[in-house]
Amino acid sequence: MDPVVDFERERPRLTRIAARVLGDPVEAEDVVQQAWMRLERSDVAIANLPGWLTTVVTRLCLDRLKAAVPAPHQPSDRAGVDTDPADEVALAGSVSAAMHVVLDRLTPAERVAFVLHDSFTVDFPTIAGILDCTPAAARKLASRARSKVAEPPDGTGPVDWRVVDAFLAAARSGEFSRLLELLAPDVVVAGDPVAVDLGTPARIEGRDEVARFFDGAAAAALPVFVHGRPGAAWFDRGAARVAFDFRVSGGVVTRIDFRAESESLESISRRRDGAPR
């Protein structure tokens, strides 16, 4: 095996993990480079290189966050979870507006468990090794994080519309790496028959393919609600022609349906700042 080739194969995934945990793509690149230097210096045979690199990158991220905190962070209630040093880590101030809304309500340990498991399908024994807790505790942290993410933030309403708007903004400005951060690994895009006749794709699968499709797109889409869910739509002479119906879970987009059938278009209402109008 060639360690350089193996590492470069893992680099994109490691960079996405670091960017999601740190909220800073520049720092993420630096952390991944540090992981490479550790690998280069290591004289121990590594049986599971992806798992080893995931652990190293995540711990480097936690070290950076902890170093940036001027005073110890007061951990929130952790009933049933062993004492975890990672709970002292404060969230980075550079997290994007949309993801900050979702992640700021989590303790750092919850954040790591949630990001690694729900966004990158890392198993709980590996997460437990990173956080120095049991797999059961890691599972509980991820479950608690999932529940917090689903709650309305400070009574302002669900966070879904913030994620949708962040995604549309990244699409319009061609921020490919940001699109990747806002998409679930197994995201699906599908079009109903009428939308496909108008030129939308019938189906796209996977984060990379969906991000490529939307990169630099959606410039003319306006924010709407579709069947009561936050989305967007293309309008022609004041009439909606194609709706983007988003499904959001855990702070990332899991599905986008292009809808142009009359029933869906009739459900559309314009919105501003998350409120229908």
Side-chain angles (χ1 to χ4, degrees):
M1 294 192 305
D2 185 337
V4 176
V5 173
D6 293 339
F7 179 81
E8 289 302 323
R9 188 182 299 117
E10 293 296 321
R11 183 188 287 273
R13 181 182 66 88
L14 297 170
T15 303
R16 288 198 295 270
I17 289 174
R20 191 76 183 274
V21 173
L22 290 171
D24 186 328
V26 176
E27 278 204 78
E29 292 283 356
D30 191 34
V31 161
V32 171
Q33 191 60 32
Q34 278 188 267
W36 160 247
M37 292 190 300
R38 289 197 180 187
L39 175 63
E40 199 175 28
R41 293 195 302 264
S42 176
D43 56 2
V44 178
I46 301 172
N48 178 9
L49 182 61
W52 186 89
L53 288 170
T54 298
T55 298
V56 170
V57 165
T58 307
R59 285 180 174 170
L60 286 170
C61 289
L62 290 172
D63 287 345
R64 287 199 174 210
L65 290 174
K66 189 171 185 177
V69 181
H73 174 68
Q74 295 299 317
S76 60
D77 179 48
R78 305 186 306 275
V81 180
D82 294 337
T83 300
D84 189 342
D87 282 334
E88 296 180 355
V89 182
L91 296 179
S94 58
V95 177
S96 66
M99 298 313 299
H100 182 79
V101 172
V102 176
L103 298 179
D104 191 40
R105 67 186 66 189
L106 309 180
T107 69
E110 289 169 347
R111 178 177 178 176
V112 167
F114 172 71
V115 167
L116 291 184
H117 184 265
D118 285 40
S119 294
F120 298 97
T121 63
V122 177
D123 59 72
F124 286 117
T126 299
I127 296 172
I130 293 169
L131 295 176
D132 193 24
C133 65
T134 65
R139 184 185 298 274
K140 189 168 185 177
L141 286 165
S143 177
R144 183 178 297 155
R146 214 171 289 120
S147 297
K148 288 184 179 181
V149 165
E151 295 171 356
D154 302 325
T156 60
V159 301
D160 292 7
W161 66 271
R162 298 177 186 267
V163 176
V164 170
D165 287 355
F167 177 85
L168 291 171
R172 294 182 187 113
S173 58
E175 297 178 63
F176 185 75
S177 61
R178 180 77 179 283
L179 288 172
L180 291 174
E181 292 178 11
L182 292 165
L183 290 167
D186 56 352
V187 62
V188 172
V189 170
D192 68 27
V194 179
V196 172
D197 286 344
L198 292 173
T200 72
R203 189 174 183 87
I204 308 174
E205 298 182 359
R207 174 163 44 199
D208 289 347
E209 292 302 315
V210 172
R212 288 191 191 97
F213 175 79
F214 278 98
D215 191 21
L222 299 176
V224 301
F225 280 96
V226 187
H227 293 298
R229 292 183 294 272
W234 283 320
F235 286 79
D236 179 29
R237 299 176 185 178
R241 298 302 183 191
V242 179
F244 300 37
D245 187 1
F246 285 77
R247 302 299 177 102
V248 176
S249 178
V252 292
V253 176
T254 59
R255 184 180 179 94
I256 305 171
D257 287 283
F258 289 115
R259 303 191 186 278
E261 294 175 339
S262 58
E263 179 185 357
S264 294
L265 297 182
E266 289 170 0
S267 76
I268 288 176
S269 60
R270 293 287 301 279
R271 65 185 175 89
R272 182 176 58 191
D273 298 332
R277 58 177 179 139

